[in-house]
Amino acid sequence: MVIRKPADRFLRELGVPYEDEGSFVVVKHAALFTSTLLSQVLAMPNVVMMNATAVEDLIIHEDFRGQQRVSGVVTNWTLVALNHDTQSCMDPNTITAPVVVSATGHDGPMGAFSAKRLVSAGLSQGLGNMRGLDMNRAEPAIVNGTREVAPGLIFTGMELSEHDGSNRMGPTFGGMIGSGIKAAHEAIRILDSSEIVRGKIVG
């Protein structure tokens, strides 16, 4: 797993060993990074991981200013969400939230889901469509572009390449880490600057 600097700082914070190759570092296997990250996140008291669960829609409400705001997600079992055309419907579950962070990646079976849903919901003019591989342009574009793309919805990672029309980055992950860190800070900024009652932003 190749990770460009300065994202090696995050690896040190997590305690993931790597080999320093100058302008980048190499983790011996991606599973070492992901399993270490997951174990530390899942140990936190306020984190829930939902296995075999897919987000199949966004909850969009009118907010206190009269604007449309993403206010949560609609979930279902992944196999149900993938097979709505071939089996009878199962009732979904809803999860409300003052801020949603979407990192569904570039286009695929469930890729760029929120980006595509914003377009069909009329909250975005259209997809920018991901450009070809150029990691030198892609990584700064993804990190710098990480933001609240619609009220209540933050995009991080390669979903931004579909939304903004930036390049794909290929098998290097410094930008992904940097984007995720920036998305967390953006979510904290929104929460800290908002008045929240029962999980809903009211001011």
Side-chain angles (χ1 to χ4, degrees):
M1 183 178 185
V2 176
I3 298 174
R4 289 185 175 198
K5 294 179 177 179
D8 57 314
R9 298 174 192 168
F10 187 62
L11 298 180
R12 289 194 295 277
E13 186 178 333
L14 292 178
V16 177
Y18 59 80
E19 295 178 11
D20 195 321
E21 299 292 342
S23 61
F24 63 93
V25 300
V26 178
V27 177
K28 68 178 180 179
H29 200 289
L32 177 60
F33 169 75
T34 54
S35 62
T36 304
L37 178 61
L38 278 170
S39 68
Q40 293 194 26
V41 170
L42 292 172
M44 294 179 181
N46 60 343
V47 171
V48 175
M49 181 175 180
M50 302 171 73
N51 272 346
T53 303
V55 171
E56 62 177 26
D57 204 356
L58 300 172
I59 299 171
I60 302 172
H61 290 154
E62 191 174 282
D63 70 7
F64 65 97
R65 294 167 297 192
Q67 294 181 321
Q68 295 296 300
R69 180 180 185 87
V70 175
S71 305
V73 295
V74 180
T75 69
N76 215 325
W77 297 110
T78 302
L79 289 176
V80 173
L82 287 172
N83 290 283
H84 275 312
D85 295 334
T86 61
Q87 63 183 27
S88 59
C89 189
M90 270 182 86
D91 288 337
N93 294 305
T94 58
I95 302 171
T96 58
V99 178
V100 174
V101 178
S102 185
T104 60
H106 53 71
D107 206 0
M110 291 185 172
F113 165 77
S114 296
K116 291 183 279 191
R117 189 65 181 102
L118 283 182
V119 175
S120 62
L123 294 179
S124 177
Q125 295 298 312
L127 291 178
N129 296 317
M130 182 175 65
R131 305 297 192 262
L133 192 150
D134 184 340
M135 59 187 69
N136 290 322
R137 284 191 289 179
E139 292 214 318
I142 294 300
V143 175
N144 293 334
T146 300
R147 66 193 185 282
E148 186 181 27
V149 296
L153 182 62
I154 296 169
F155 276 178
T156 182
M158 294 305 292
E159 188 164 20
L160 279 161
S161 64
E162 298 286 359
H163 181 269
D164 293 350
S166 60
N167 294 87
R168 65 186 301 165
M169 67 180 62
T172 176
F173 297 93
M176 302 292 250
I177 292 170
S179 178
I181 293 169
K182 186 176 178 185
H185 285 288
E186 179 72 359
I188 291 168
R189 181 194 64 76
I190 293 168
L191 293 172
D192 285 348
S193 63
S194 302
E195 181 185 352
I196 301 173
V197 176
R198 296 182 183 174
K200 184 177 180 180
I201 293 180
V202 297

